[in-house]
Amino acid sequence: MNAPLQKNLTMKRWVLFTTYGWFIGILLVVGFALIGEVLSNTIGIPGGQAAVGIGMGAGVGLMQWLAARKYLTSSQKLFWFTFIGFSLAFILQDIVAITLDSVKPDVSVKVETMIPFTVLLGAFISGWLQYKFVFKKIIDKAVNWIFYSMASWLLATIITMGTPLLKFNMGENFPKVLIAIFAALFLTIGGPILGYITGRFIVTKVNGLNENDSTNAQQKNWQ
């Protein structure tokens, strides 16, 4: 008797798991930032933005692996390459910032300015690794994954970074509850955006693979 086929990967599952990963990533970033602050205060190790790349890469990568593991071979590489790509990009950002500060201390580069470029670099590195070692040999037009990855991460980041725009003047008497709600919305909406855009590629492609496998299996049974 043939083993039952796995159900197709759904957009809902992919978006939900990616959103969970975004939340986990935020929590990890906060945790790593607190640890970095303690180290900075106790032993003088300067803090940086590496925690952002490590936390978000680990959180999103982990949950996307869990979302795809029943439907895609080598799906664990989704985690490792996301983690590696974003960790490297943000560590590089810290190195550049420290170098600029030591060489030209009078030149100040805002973190808010660097982060979108760093996210693009992280998405490119992780997307290219996933394309090269996961998708290239099994999916048609797999190179498009790099562009889906970069576009989704950049859009999610830019919208999330809109939170500072909600710093209203206390004189305007704007309800603090609404400010908190809007801030939370900006902070968390990145997950669904990231999941939806990347899902537009991966869900159809993975399901196409499963349909081909099913067709091949049926043909073998008839032969």
Side-chain angles (χ1 to χ4, degrees):
M1 176 181 274
N2 293 328
L5 296 173
Q6 290 285 349
K7 293 181 180 179
N8 285 341
L9 174 63
T10 64
M11 179 67 81
K12 179 181 178 180
R13 177 183 175 88
W14 181 259
V15 173
L16 279 176
F17 274 66
T18 302
T19 302
Y20 297 153
W22 187 268
F23 280 115
I24 293 172
I26 291 173
L27 294 177
L28 289 175
V29 170
V30 172
F32 290 144
L34 292 175
I35 294 173
E37 185 177 352
V38 171
L39 293 176
S40 179
N41 293 332
T42 56
I43 59 180
I45 297 178
Q49 296 298 310
V52 176
I54 295 171
M56 296 306 295
V60 173
L62 173 64
M63 295 310 297
Q64 287 187 340
W65 162 51
L66 293 178
R69 62 177 179 165
K70 295 181 180 180
Y71 315 94
L72 181 67
T73 58
S74 301
S75 59
Q76 72 277 6
K77 293 180 181 178
L78 293 178
F79 164 71
W80 286 113
F81 291 148
T82 302
F83 176 73
I84 290 170
F86 281 90
S87 296
L88 285 177
F90 277 85
I91 290 172
L92 179 60
Q93 175 182 314
D94 284 346
I95 293 173
V96 170
I98 294 171
T99 303
L100 284 176
D101 186 60
S102 61
V103 174
K104 293 184 177 182
D106 56 326
V107 177
S108 176
V109 180
K110 292 184 178 181
V111 172
E112 293 83 359
T113 303
M114 296 183 66
I115 282 182
F117 296 100
T118 307
V119 167
L120 267 180
L121 177 61
F124 172 76
I125 295 173
S126 62
W128 182 85
L129 289 171
Q130 290 163 348
Y131 153 72
K132 181 70 175 180
F133 299 103
V134 180
F135 298 133
K136 184 177 180 180
K137 294 182 179 180
I138 60 175
I139 290 178
D140 182 42
K141 296 181 180 179
V143 71
N144 290 340
W145 170 252
I146 300 174
F147 302 104
Y148 275 87
S149 180
M150 293 175 67
S152 59
W153 274 101
L154 180 61
L155 182 59
T157 300
I158 290 175
I159 291 178
T160 301
M161 290 177 67
T163 303
L165 299 177
L166 300 174
K167 292 181 179 179
F168 297 99
N169 231 336
M170 295 301 291
E172 297 177 4
N173 294 322
F174 198 89
K176 293 182 179 179
V177 173
L178 290 181
I179 294 177
I181 292 174
F182 285 136
L185 178 63
F186 271 88
L187 187 63
T188 58
I189 199 172
I193 291 173
L194 179 63
Y196 178 77
I197 296 177
T198 53
R200 296 285 294 180
F201 175 89
I202 196 169
V203 170
T204 55
K205 295 297 185 181
V206 168
N207 290 341
L209 285 174
N210 292 338
E211 289 174 4
N212 290 337
D213 290 342
S214 299
T215 301
N216 292 336
Q218 290 174 358
Q219 289 177 347
K220 289 181 179 178
N221 290 335
W222 282 100
Q223 290 175 354

